[in-house]
Amino acid sequence: MSSRRRYRKTGMDSMWGHMVYEQMVPQNHFLRALKELFDWESYGDRLMKIYEGRGEIGSPPYDPVLVLKMLFLSYLYDLSGRDTERFVNESIPAHYFLDLAINETGPVHSSLSVFTRRLIMAGEEEALQGIFDDLLQQARDHGLRFGGIQVMDSVHTQADVNTEKEKARKKQGKPPRDPDARLVHKGEREVVKADGKTVKEEIIYWGYKTHVSMDAATRIVTSLLASWGNKADNKAFPELFAHDLSLDLPTHTYGGDKAYDDTDIYERLEKEGLHVGINLRKFRTQKKDPNKQRWIDLKQTPHYQVAVKVRSRVEQPFGQAKDKHGFERCRYLGLAKYRLQSFMTFMVVNVKRMVKLLTGITFRELAKGRRKEVFKPVYATPPWV
């Protein structure tokens, strides 16, 4: 780091900083765990590259790590920029997480817009991909163990576009509101009409798609690819697979639904000495062909049967992303900004899961009864206590 670099003062070294928070932020608060478990400061140099003056000339900027963490909070709590600014200024734990003294205010909401624009212009995928991967590695360094089965699937996100208004725009000769969005066909659903009759309607909307690879044991997403809404799942496999391999995961089997039943995928897995746990289409075993015995035998293998059973676990991070973190609908317009939303959303979903598995501390109250998850956290006592 350059000796000339300087940031705005946050007051954390004053009497209104660390000393106050030690008394006011509970040891088992999620934001304390988030701050203590991960080395956020290590991302400073990486993020400062997107600032024109590099923090060396012009007015001292906020530390980019502080702004990144503020953006993280906006996704964690599913808040708009203005609501994030208000939340930060009213929340003591948020002040602590951001390294702001209790008597200091955080960046204004427009700082988030400027920061995201800088990420986009600088090619946000490289910066966010690096942080995404590093958080995974930090969790592993803490002792979190990944399993041997990777599950692949994809999830759609609706573009910030009204389908009916989009039709009207087209008739009027106007350009689409979001030129990058693609028409998505999601099957049919039953709808009750005004006259009481139930009819089936096709589900169509403009949107995007995020393809993921997830560790079935921890339910943590290891790789993701944000794409057009009509990109086929099997076409996204090579990029996800290559990224998984770069992480040196203890994988022995890949699972997925029938969309991944592709001979090219099987050849890639075989080349790496990995097992197949992808749901086979019926024609594989029912066709009148002597080669079908290969597929019949595959379905009897333990690796295949276990992978098929755990495949549905990938729905958990998808459900979290949509229900709790606003991934049902795009925050922005355009594929580049959707990629940013995708990375930030699954970074949030991952970190929540990591903190839980490492310490037992959860963002929300633990489920009870039949939905209760029985697990033993890596740390019997949080390491900062």
Side-chain angles (χ1 to χ4, degrees), residues 60-328:
Y62 279 106
D63 187 334
V65 173
L66 186 156
V67 188
L68 171 70
K69 290 194 288 186
M70 188 169 170
L71 183 63
F72 185 95
L73 290 179
S74 77
Y75 279 87
L76 179 64
Y77 291 94
D78 190 18
L79 300 172
S80 67
R82 291 180 184 276
D83 287 341
T84 303
E85 178 187 347
R86 188 179 303 112
F87 169 74
V88 164
N89 290 333
E90 294 176 352
S91 168
I92 292 176
H95 265 64
Y96 169 71
F97 176 60
L98 296 180
D99 280 318
L100 283 171
I102 201 167
N103 62 326
E104 294 284 339
T105 58
V108 296
H109 66 274
S110 59
S111 297
L112 295 181
S113 300
V114 173
F115 184 72
T116 55
R117 186 163 60 250
R118 283 173 172 157
L119 283 171
I120 298 290
M121 293 176 64
E124 89 294 340
E125 274 196 276
E126 183 179 351
L128 292 180
Q129 182 73 74
I131 295 171
F132 188 92
D133 293 346
D134 188 70
L135 289 170
L136 290 175
Q137 186 56 52
Q138 287 193 54
R140 296 172 74 182
D141 291 343
H142 276 292
L144 185 60
R145 294 185 178 181
F146 284 54
I149 300 176
Q150 288 289 126
V151 179
M152 289 191 167
D153 206 346
S154 62
V155 58
H156 281 99
T157 305
Q158 292 188 47
D160 190 17
V161 171
N162 182 294
T163 304
E164 295 304 316
K165 288 183 178 180
E166 199 67 11
K167 292 178 181 178
R169 290 175 67 92
K170 187 175 182 180
K171 288 182 179 180
Q172 295 168 10
K174 295 181 179 179
R177 172 174 164 78
D178 188 345
D180 288 345
R182 295 293 184 270
L183 204 58
V184 176
H185 297 264
K186 289 290 289 182
E188 297 181 335
R189 63 182 170 188
E190 291 188 345
V191 178
V192 179
K193 294 293 187 178
D195 59 4
K197 292 183 178 180
T198 300
V199 298
K200 287 186 176 181
E201 286 188 354
E202 189 175 6
I203 305 173
I204 302 177
Y205 56 83
W206 295 92
Y208 296 92
K209 195 175 189 180
T210 296
H211 308 263
V212 308
S213 178
M214 183 199 77
D215 171 50
T218 60
R219 303 176 198 185
I220 290 173
V221 173
T222 56
S223 301
L224 65 84
L225 173 65
S227 72
W228 315 110
N230 56 0
K231 186 179 180 72
D233 289 356
N234 61 326
K235 299 303 180 183
F237 179 91
E239 189 168 337
L240 294 174
F241 185 53
H243 184 257
D244 276 353
L245 292 178
S246 72
L247 298 176
D248 193 26
L249 300 170
T251 309
H252 55 66
T253 304
Y254 267 83
D257 60 24
K258 295 176 182 179
Y260 297 93
D261 183 4
D262 184 305
T263 303
D264 178 65
I265 290 176
Y266 299 147
E267 290 178 353
R268 290 174 184 272
L269 294 176
E270 183 178 357
K271 183 179 179 180
E272 297 295 334
L274 299 171
H275 297 282
V276 174
I278 295 169
N279 285 26
L280 298 176
R281 292 188 176 93
K282 289 183 179 180
F283 82 88
R284 294 281 189 189
T285 56
Q286 294 181 357
K287 61 183 178 179
K288 295 181 180 180
D289 187 322
N291 294 326
K292 72 178 182 181
Q293 190 60 44
R294 169 193 176 185
W295 308 110
I296 294 174
D297 293 341
L298 173 62
K299 294 183 72 172
Q300 302 305 314
T301 62
H303 292 97
Y304 179 90
Q305 294 179 3
V306 173
V308 168
K309 288 181 181 179
V310 301
R311 189 199 67 78
S312 62
R313 291 182 182 178
V314 74
E315 299 298 334
Q316 184 181 54
F318 290 170
Q320 284 274 324
K322 288 196 170 189
D323 294 342
K324 308 299 183 183
H325 306 293
F327 205 57
E328 181 72 35

